[in-house]
Amino acid sequence: MKKRTFLKLSSALLATPVMSPLAQLVPGEKLKNWAGNYTYSTDRLYSAKSIEQVQELVKKYAKLKVLGSRHCFNGIADSTNNFISLADMNQVVALDEKARMVTVDANMRYGQLAPYLDGKGYALHNLASLPHISVAGACATATHGSGVKNGNLSTAVAGLELVTADGELKKLSRDKDGDTFRAAVVNLGALGVVTKVTLDIQPTFMVRQDVYENLPLDQLNDHFEAIMSGGYSVSLFTDWQKKRINEVWIKRRVEEGSKIEAKPEYFGASLATKNLHPITEISAENCTEQMGVPGPWYERLPHFKMGFTPSSGKELQSEYFVPRKNAVDAILAVEQLRDHISPHLLISELRTIEADDLWMSMAYKQPSLAIHFTWKQDWASVSKVLPMIEKALEPFGPRPHWGKLFTLSAPKLQSRYEKLTDFKKLVKEYDPQGKFRNAFLDSTIYGS
């Protein structure tokens, strides 16, 4: 969305009564996702400023979806009927220091929450590569950071509140609701409108970030686990050319009184002498501080600063999870497609994610490697390359990121989730008439 459109829409959200379709105040401009590749199917957008208003809207309309931070690249959050915006529901509700938990409104952005927590002496266990995304949306799609011992962002969820299709407010917690909770956290927007999320927190910590260049690809054969375990969070960036990893980003916790030195080499890669962007041609001014300068966790764990446009801006994204035990074989399988991939690629990122027990998470029951692709915004070309990548990864049972682009067939996708049948039973219980279903859910979860 253009800045002008965003500003007008933001003003509309603040000034408009709950029952006015907000998009009517932005005539002639369709709502798009942040990258501009996806145009939403309706301009009927309503604002809710309280749980009661959410319940009123849910009861009023037969079909409804939540329009969040619009960072998804596909139609997972789309609606042909009505959107509800929770833009005004973005506050910290409660900080329970004794239990080490924080409860926030669903539309709270990580970039808003993190400095608040740090100011109180607390931190989250991890953050995604950019802090612009909403808590509820990120958790609903199992969005993640990196780290061999770090689960995705949804693993921090200890409780949530949501409004189901009949307007009822349900409260679920990890301690009390067992399987229902494990099904509801990564909910794909299918169960209702999430209004509040409770997250685990821990004492704040400092992080330094060091970047290395030109890691020989063959180092992964014998040293993959050691390379990815070299910091609290490690990311590898590659364009799949020249048999090398372009950049290795190592984020290490800095404990009080400890002294960390960055060695000049890291498994054959050379220590960078200046701040770098993952895409070499782009200035690093948008990126979080590197060069081993310690800083608060929330200013180092993301790759991009809150106040700047993340990544390249105009792009497409795809991502596939494979079992970490197959990581090197999967990487080498993709590397064989380098001449098909590179003409359409901006950059790829390789990250590790710990296993979890959330039914619809891409890392359900398997420590994972995520192979991420940031593409040029040319869907005609990318749509031809994705099936090749999916075929190369087929021996490893790839699970695509729910919020990104893929072409995997519904039967194959469904076969990767052993709790899918149980998840659909819960969806039927919470939303018997399909109020929150849309074309994406119909084709992926219910398609054949």
Side-chain angles (χ1 to χ4, degrees):
M1 182 180 291
K2 297 177 182 176
K3 183 177 181 182
R4 177 170 58 88
T5 306
F6 174 77
L7 291 175
K8 286 198 291 184
L9 182 57
S10 296
S11 299
L13 288 171
L14 291 173
T16 308
V18 65
M19 288 304 177
S20 293
L22 301 176
Q24 289 183 4
L25 300 179
V26 193
E29 296 187 14
K30 288 284 190 178
L31 290 168
K32 292 179 178 287
N33 65 339
W34 77 278
N37 74 290
Y38 193 91
T39 301
Y40 294 103
S41 302
T42 182
D43 58 6
R44 295 184 60 83
L45 176 62
Y46 301 88
S47 174
K49 300 181 181 181
S50 67
I51 292 173
E52 291 75 20
Q53 290 180 346
V54 172
Q55 292 174 305
E56 185 179 356
L57 285 166
V58 169
K59 290 176 181 178
K60 180 178 177 68
Y61 294 106
K63 298 286 288 186
L64 192 70
K65 294 296 289 184
V66 177
L67 189 68
S69 58
R70 298 190 299 280
H71 189 72
C72 291
F73 290 81
N74 57 33
I76 190 171
D78 199 8
S79 172
T80 57
N81 302 94
N82 302 284
F83 280 123
I84 180 172
S85 169
L86 308 183
D88 291 323
M89 299 175 66
N90 61 358
Q91 302 298 310
V92 173
V93 177
L95 176 63
D96 187 338
E97 297 187 76
K98 184 177 181 180
R100 287 192 176 176
M101 294 180 184
V102 64
T103 299
V104 300
D105 286 331
N107 202 58
M108 171 67 76
R109 310 298 172 96
Y110 283 98
Q112 298 169 286
L113 175 60
Y116 166 85
L117 288 176
D118 188 66
K120 299 291 186 180
Y122 294 101
L124 300 169
H125 81 287
N126 209 353
L127 291 169
S129 60
L130 55 92
H132 305 67
I133 52 180
S134 68
V135 172
C139 293
T141 54
T143 295
H144 59 95
S146 189
V148 293
K149 296 181 180 179
N150 296 325
N152 63 46
L153 303 187
S154 58
T155 61
V157 177
L160 54 84
E161 293 183 8
L162 72 161
V163 176
T164 57
D166 60 1
E168 179 185 355
L169 181 67
K170 286 189 177 290
K171 299 181 180 182
L172 302 174
S173 74
R174 181 195 296 144
D175 293 338
K176 297 179 181 179
D177 293 292
D179 281 347
T180 300
F181 174 82
R182 288 186 280 275
V185 176
V186 182
N187 57 69
L188 314 181
L191 296 178
V193 180
V194 175
T195 55
K196 288 185 176 64
V197 183
T198 299
L199 303 171
D200 295 328
I201 56 176
Q202 59 181 274
T204 189
F205 55 94
M206 300 285 283
V207 176
R208 63 175 285 163
Q209 184 167 222
D210 297 289
V211 175
Y212 290 81
E213 298 182 88
N214 299 315
L215 174 75
L217 188 65
D218 60 13
Q219 290 286 338
L220 300 182
N221 289 318
D222 298 323
H223 306 293
F224 177 79
E225 286 294 330
I227 290 169
M228 299 307 291
S229 301
Y232 185 77
S233 171
V234 176
S235 293
L236 311 183
F237 291 96
T238 181
D239 59 7
W240 302 103
Q241 293 295 311
K242 301 180 182 178
K243 299 287 185 180
R244 54 90 167 91
I245 299 295
N246 303 44
E247 298 175 13
V248 182
W249 289 37
I250 305 174
K251 305 168 192 277
R252 289 180 286 181
R253 290 180 62 140
V254 179
E255 305 300 339
E256 188 173 353
S258 67
K259 186 176 181 180
I260 300 175
E261 296 290 344
K263 296 180 180 179
E265 287 195 6
Y266 189 75
F267 295 93
S270 301
L271 184 65
T273 57
K274 63 179 181 178
N275 285 350
L276 297 175
H277 190 286
I279 303 170
T280 309
E281 297 79 12
I282 298 179
S283 167
E285 66 175 334
N286 294 6
C287 298
T288 49
E289 186 67 31
Q290 302 160 30
M291 304 300 293
V293 179
W297 57 281
Y298 70 94
E299 292 183 352
R300 297 295 182 272
L301 291 179
H303 299 328
F304 302 100
K305 299 174 184 176
M306 182 64 186
F308 292 84
T309 299
S311 197
S312 74
K314 191 176 182 182
E315 62 192 55
L316 304 176
Q317 292 185 11
S318 302
E319 187 171 38
Y320 300 93
F321 278 54
V322 297
R324 200 160 80 219
K325 64 183 180 181
N326 302 127
V328 175
D329 289 339
I331 292 168
L332 295 179
V334 173
E335 193 266 342
Q336 291 296 309
L337 300 172
R338 58 189 177 276
D339 292 337
H340 298 281
I341 292 172
S342 292
H344 315 295
L345 186 73
L346 292 171
I347 200 68
S348 274
E349 182 178 7
L350 309 175
R351 288 180 284 180
T352 53
I353 302 93
E354 181 58 291
D356 60 59
D357 62 356
L358 305 174
W359 289 4
M360 301 306 292
S361 165
M362 294 86 70
Y364 179 70
K365 287 190 176 180
Q366 65 179 33
S368 299
L369 168 77
I371 306 175
H372 186 277
F373 302 87
T374 301
W375 304 102
K376 298 173 184 176
Q377 202 172 94
D378 177 8
W379 175 240
S381 298
V382 172
S383 65
K384 296 175 182 177
V385 178
L386 291 184
M388 301 171 65
I389 294 171
E390 290 165 0
K391 183 178 179 180
L393 293 176
E394 178 62 25
F396 317 112
R399 297 171 178 170
H401 190 297
W402 290 109
K404 302 184 190 293
L405 298 168
F406 56 90
T407 62
L408 205 66
S409 69
K412 282 188 178 179
L413 180 63
Q414 293 163 14
S415 71
R416 309 278 155 81
Y417 290 90
E418 63 181 79
K419 300 295 288 186
L420 178 62
T421 299
D422 293 325
F423 178 73
K424 289 195 288 187
K425 288 179 181 177
L426 187 64
V427 173
K428 184 70 173 177
E429 177 186 340
Y430 279 34
D431 185 17
Q433 303 303 316
K435 178 171 291 191
F436 302 111
R437 282 187 42 183
N438 61 6
F440 179 90
L441 293 174
D442 286 342
S443 63
T444 56
I445 301 300
Y446 296 94
S448 60

